Amino acid sequence: MGDSGAPFNAEQPLVLVRSAPLSIDEATGHVRHPSAGAVCLFLGMVRDHNEGRRVVKLEYEAYPSMALGEMRRIAREIASEIPEVRLAVAHRTGILAVGDIAVVCAASAPHRDEAYRACRALIDRVKARVPIWKREHGPEGAYWVGWQDARCEAGPGHEHPR
């Protein structure tokens, strides 16, 4: 899967889903401008553990057109809630090693409070709503994070076996 996303336009959010390494400079460069007194940056990194289990690598899969569409909707929502904010979000797909950047969110605004709020809202909504799936690999094997068998009713005992 190659690069996908909106063409560069300082007024529009930068939204990307790509298999290549993500660029912090690309995200911050998109949101920086003379009226921005603050730029906040969030980096989601691959860590070496999750829920008490060792992680050696992650694998991300996405439905690119749906992911990009939802990321754009999220950015428009935040821009309507926080005036004068500029946003950038990029999410990686494919196999990532411990220490790799999985997601970059950047937000600029005239003041730090708005930039912080916008950046936090951006990552929180992306994590909650965008169709990107994470598979963790560790000594016990690979498993999809947050996966629940759709054939079962929700409740105890119906989670993915680990």
Side-chain angles (χ1 to χ4, degrees):
M1 177 185 340
D3 287 359
S4 299
F8 181 83
N9 176 335
E11 298 297 323
Q12 295 297 317
L14 176 70
V15 260
L16 303 169
V17 172
R18 65 167 50 138
S19 57
L22 302 178
S23 169
I24 296 166
D25 291 339
E26 181 178 24
T28 55
H30 185 82
V31 301
R32 288 180 66 166
H33 60 94
S35 297
V39 174
C40 285
L41 179 68
F42 171 82
L43 303 178
M45 313 286 290
V46 178
R47 64 180 180 263
D48 65 359
H49 68 283
N50 186 37
E51 296 181 0
R53 289 185 302 275
R54 194 165 146 248
V55 173
V56 296
K57 66 181 175 181
L58 290 182
E59 188 177 347
Y60 283 99
E61 288 191 17
Y63 188 139
S65 62
M66 285 182 69
L68 291 166
E70 189 61 22
M71 291 161 82
R72 286 185 190 102
R73 267 189 292 285
I74 290 166
R76 282 193 303 268
E77 289 170 11
I78 295 167
S80 72
E81 295 164 13
I82 304 171
E84 300 181 71
V85 71
R86 289 191 188 176
L87 302 164
V89 58
H91 206 296
R92 182 101 183 261
T93 57
I95 296 173
L96 284 71
V98 170
D100 283 349
I101 299 171
V103 62
V104 175
C105 293
S108 71
H111 305 284
R112 69 179 175 270
D113 182 59
E114 291 89 355
Y116 276 121
R117 286 189 299 121
C119 195
R120 177 66 183 253
L122 186 57
I123 187 55
D124 287 349
R125 293 178 197 186
V126 165
K127 295 268 302 167
R129 295 172 30 194
V130 175
I132 297 175
W133 303 279
K134 178 168 66 172
R135 187 174 190 195
E136 292 183 347
H137 296 258
E140 299 166 356
Y143 54 91
W144 291 102
V145 176
W147 180 82
Q148 182 175 342
D149 192 329
R151 298 170 294 182
C152 297
E153 292 181 28
H158 293 278
E159 299 84 18
H160 184 287
R162 294 185 185 195

